[in-house]
Amino acid sequence: GENVEQHPSTLSVQEGDSAVIKCTYSDSASNYFPWYKQELGKRPQLIIDIRSNVGEKKDQRIAVTLNKTAKHFSLHITETQPEDSAVYFCAASDGSARQLTFGSGTQLTVLP
Amino acid sequence: SAVISQKPSRDICQRGTSLTIQCQVDSQVTMMFWYRQQPGQSLTLIATANQGSEATYESGFVIDKFPISRPNLTFSTLTVSNMSPEDSSIYLCSVERASYNEQFFGPGTRLTVL
């Protein structure tokens, strides 16, 4: 089955700096890659996703890149703000089963 | 995104008992999923619940321990049976809405087993 590795496990940045979180996946059949943000005590929230027919997708301060050949994808957050502090999870799906396999999560702390 | 509710939001149970968690969605969905999130950990898929068919369980999860019902397109239940302290966790349902594959999560049920 699919295996998703995520790093770093913790990341601290100064407010206004950029943050990058990276994930690798094992199943070449995976074609959908969402990112979730989970604040303490809250449910995971879908913040951005990318499909395998696209190399990059951007939504305001958030962007995701995908390298299918290398089987890795990354989340980029620019101009970070304290409210970006949360745990971020990447995930991968092979499409047909429509199941998500999650990475281990990254605790992002934005220091004011 | 869908409006998803779960009941109960939290519970404290004695070992050996069972708890049924409900997941309600505001509109019809084909795919519903149940996840477990242990404290400080990632999300692990327990099973996929489609209306009109048996739930499909992931490796390490069995129907006797986690029976699931999916009586219609807006509702599902997960039962945690014969509980032990190791079952203490957050249980989340999710639904696939809008675009293919996009999943949205319910608020979760925080279960503590004493």
Side-chain angles (χ1 to χ4, degrees), chain B residues 16 38 41 71 108:
Chain B
Q38 295 180 307
Q41 302 296 312

Side-chain angles (χ1 to χ4, degrees), chain A residues 9 35 43 48 52 56 67 81 88 99 104:
Chain A
S9 57
W35 286 88
R43 74 186 81 187
I48 195 167
S52 59
E56 183 175 0
N67 184 326
Q81 302 167 2
Y88 291 80
Q99 299 168 343
S104 55

Side-chain angles (χ1 to χ4, degrees), chain A residues 32 36 38 43-44 46 49 51 89 93 95-100 102-104, chain B residues 4 31 33 35 37 42-43 45 48 58 96 99-103 105-107:
Chain A
Y32 174 67
Y36 288 84
Q38 188 175 31
R43 74 186 81 187
L46 177 66
D49 56 16
R51 300 183 190 274
F89 293 100
S93 171
S96 60
R98 295 153 81 171
Q99 299 168 343
L100 294 178
F102 283 82
S104 55
Chain B
I4 309 166
M31 307 287 288
F33 306 87
Y35 290 84
Q37 186 175 30
S42 185
L43 294 92
L45 181 65
T48 302
E58 296 302 300
E96 186 184 83
S99 301
Y100 191 75
N101 281 134
E102 287 185 356
Q103 285 190 30
F105 285 86

